[in-house]
């Protein structure tokens, strides 16, 4: 192929934007359209903006915004005659009426080693489940969720202290490198092998999270599982209640992992190193918290203030 590879890109998250920015660095690829949802991304406490829309305007790329892929968008895609459609964290299934349009089909970048952790929130659930490794899988999509043939996979380690943001950064870096590798294969008409997924019900599903339920700390879990919850929710912040006050929990560490005679949720100590709280199995040491309408604060600075509300022996939640 001597001309530029004509691409339509679907995406609606920070992950999508990072992939998009990387592809745009290469002048061998021509973006016909960027298709995103009409939702905005939070950039700070009071401001929301659609960063993908902002990027497309800045770079002179046509953009289509819609919560649903309606007939109008499908017709625009047909008329534009793309060589390839790339999906990266878009959030909706792509219908067959679109899948069959591009010359090379539609490919999707997924943040797990498929067929494990299909679904919309793989990064979160891999941390929650204590997985030791993650990675990305690029598939040729079909009508079923994350079930198409695999055309590329690359693994990475999940460290013991990995949180959502740090793991996402790893996967973005791998994805950026991998998608460029594949795009050069397409533009040079090189053969790309496809491996059929073994699709059955034995693999874990990464369901959409419920922020009210899944980010709440349950002290009846072990210190290991609570630590995973805090790290997995690092993008939102976990939370608990103390004397009817909603408090976010951003950082903690496992102190012990064995059962003891203290009550579940009991505050055992509070000092410059943190606040020790007993769990069903073991003690977790809280390091960074956040009160309503306040900034994050580490426990060391918190105990130097005159507004300490936590009392040793009291129970959280």
């Amino acid at each position: 192929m001597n001309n530029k590879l004509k691409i339509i890109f679907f995406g609606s998250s920070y992950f999508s934007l990072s992939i998009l920015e990387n592809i745009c660095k290469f002048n061998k690829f021509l973006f016909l359209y960027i298709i995103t949802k009409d939702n905005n991304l939070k950039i700070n406490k009071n401001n929301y903006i659609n960063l993908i829309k902002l990027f497309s305007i800045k770079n002179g790329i046509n953009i289509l915004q819609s919560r649903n892929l309606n007939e109008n968008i499908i017709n625009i895609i047909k008329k534009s005659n793309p060589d390839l459609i790339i999906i990266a964290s878009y959030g909706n299934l792509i219908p067959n009426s679109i899948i069959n349009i591009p010359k090379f089909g539609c490919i999707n970048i997924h943040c797990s080693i498929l067929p494990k952790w299909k679904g919309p929130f793989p990064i979160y659930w891999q941390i929650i489940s204590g997985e030791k490794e993650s990675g990305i899988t690029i598939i040729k999509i079909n009508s079923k969720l994350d079930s198409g043939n695999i055309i590329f996979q690359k693994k990475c380690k999940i460290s013991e202290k990995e949180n959502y943001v740090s793991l996402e950064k790893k996967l973005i870096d791998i994805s950026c490198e991998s998608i460029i590798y594949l795009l050069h294969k397409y533009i040079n008409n090189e053969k790309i092998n496809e491996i059929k997924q073994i699709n059955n019900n034995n693999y874990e599903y990464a369901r959409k999270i419920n922020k009210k339920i899944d980010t709440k700390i349950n002290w009846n879990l072990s210190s290991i599982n609570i630590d995973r919850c805090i790290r997995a929710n690092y993008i939102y912040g976990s939370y608990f209640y103390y004397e009817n006050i909603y408090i976010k929990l951003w950082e903690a560490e496992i102190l012990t992992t064995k059962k003891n005679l203290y009550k579940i949720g009991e505050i055992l100590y509070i000092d410059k190193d943190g606040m020790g709280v007993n769990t069903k199995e073991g003690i977790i040491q809280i390091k960074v918290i956040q009160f309503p309408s306040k900034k994050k604060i580490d426990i060391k600075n918190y105990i130097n203030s005159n507004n300490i509300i936590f009392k040793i022996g009291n129970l959280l939640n």
Side-chain angles (χ1 to χ4, degrees):
M1 182 183 295
N2 296 320
N3 298 322
K4 291 185 177 183
L5 190 70
K6 296 181 293 181
I7 297 170
I8 291 178
F9 185 91
F10 286 70
S12 58
S13 72
Y14 291 109
F15 179 87
S16 316
L17 181 62
S18 299
I19 306 300
L20 184 58
E21 288 174 334
N22 185 64
I23 297 173
C24 280
K25 293 176 184 177
F26 297 82
N27 62 9
K28 294 181 180 180
F29 314 122
L30 173 65
F31 282 96
L32 302 174
Y33 287 95
I34 295 171
I35 298 176
T36 188
K37 295 182 179 179
D38 54 359
N39 58 320
N40 294 329
L41 303 175
K42 188 174 183 178
I43 55 174
N44 57 42
K45 183 179 178 181
N46 299 312
N47 293 296
Y48 291 79
I49 191 169
N50 192 308
L51 296 176
I52 293 175
K53 181 178 181 179
L54 195 65
F55 176 86
S56 67
I57 293 171
K58 183 178 178 181
N59 289 275
I61 304 171
N62 295 319
I63 186 163
L64 300 172
Q65 282 183 270
S66 176
R67 289 194 178 275
N68 299 302
L69 296 172
N70 53 45
E71 283 299 318
N72 180 51
I73 290 177
I74 293 171
N75 288 331
I76 290 172
I77 293 172
K78 285 179 179 178
K79 289 178 182 178
S80 66
N81 192 30
D83 295 314
L84 183 70
I85 288 178
I86 299 172
I87 301 106
S89 187
Y90 177 62
N92 284 358
L93 282 173
I94 308 299
N96 284 329
S97 53
I98 291 177
I99 292 173
N100 298 324
I101 294 173
K103 176 181 178 181
F104 297 118
C106 301
I107 63 174
N108 177 53
I109 306 170
H110 185 79
C111 291
S112 78
I113 300 300
L114 290 173
K116 289 186 73 174
W117 298 114
K118 296 178 182 181
F121 274 79
I123 297 176
Y124 176 90
W125 289 108
Q126 286 172 94
I127 295 174
I128 285 286
S129 300
E131 294 280 8
K132 301 299 183 185
E133 67 177 14
S134 180
I136 63 108
T137 304
I138 302 177
I139 60 172
K140 291 282 289 292
I141 70 166
N142 57 25
S143 58
K144 295 181 180 179
L145 178 68
D146 299 328
S147 298
N149 289 349
I150 295 169
I151 58 174
F152 190 90
Q153 270 188 337
K154 189 169 183 178
K155 297 179 180 180
C156 69
K157 297 291 184 183
I158 300 178
S159 71
E160 289 185 359
K161 295 188 177 182
E162 201 87 69
N163 63 42
Y164 189 103
V165 174
S166 63
L167 181 54
E168 183 182 48
K169 176 64 169 61
K170 280 184 182 179
L171 298 177
I172 285 172
D173 290 344
I174 295 171
S175 298
C176 287
E177 177 185 311
S178 303
I179 193 66
I180 296 302
Y181 167 79
L182 277 177
L183 290 180
H184 278 101
K185 278 186 168 290
Y186 281 117
I187 205 166
N188 293 323
N189 280 320
E190 295 178 28
K191 183 180 179 181
I192 297 175
N193 294 322
E194 298 184 19
I195 301 172
K196 188 174 182 180
Q197 287 194 57
I198 301 171
N199 293 310
N200 55 46
N201 296 323
N202 295 328
Y203 293 106
E204 299 86 344
Y205 176 69
R207 66 167 173 82
K208 186 175 181 178
I209 70 168
N210 182 316
K211 290 182 185 178
K212 185 176 181 180
I213 296 172
D214 293 318
T215 64
K216 186 177 182 180
I217 296 295
N218 180 0
W219 303 107
N220 280 294
L221 297 176
S222 68
S223 58
I224 292 173
N225 285 324
I226 290 173
D227 174 65
R228 290 175 184 171
C229 178
I230 295 165
R231 291 185 288 111
N233 282 306
Y234 196 77
I235 195 169
Y236 306 113
S238 300
Y239 75 94
F240 62 91
Y241 284 95
Y242 179 73
E243 295 184 349
N244 295 320
I245 300 173
Y246 174 90
I247 302 168
K248 281 198 170 186
L249 201 174
W250 291 99
E251 292 180 31
E253 61 184 6
I254 299 167
L255 208 62
T256 67
T257 58
K258 294 182 179 180
K259 284 186 177 181
N260 54 54
L261 299 177
Y262 296 107
K263 295 178 182 178
I264 293 174
E266 182 178 351
I267 300 171
L268 304 180
Y269 65 86
I270 180 166
D271 59 28
K272 62 181 179 62
D273 294 321
M275 182 168 71
V277 180
N278 195 44
T279 71
K280 184 178 181 180
E281 293 179 4
I283 299 167
I284 196 157
Q285 184 167 261
I286 295 173
K287 306 290 284 186
V288 179
I289 56 175
Q290 184 178 19
F291 290 97
S293 302
K294 302 292 183 181
K295 294 181 179 180
K296 297 176 187 178
I297 186 169
D298 60 44
I299 295 298
K300 181 179 179 180
N301 287 323
Y302 171 68
I303 61 176
N304 289 330
S305 71
N306 296 319
N307 299 312
I308 299 174
I309 62 170
F310 300 110
K311 294 180 181 179
I312 295 171
N314 282 7
L315 302 181
L316 301 182
N317 283 359

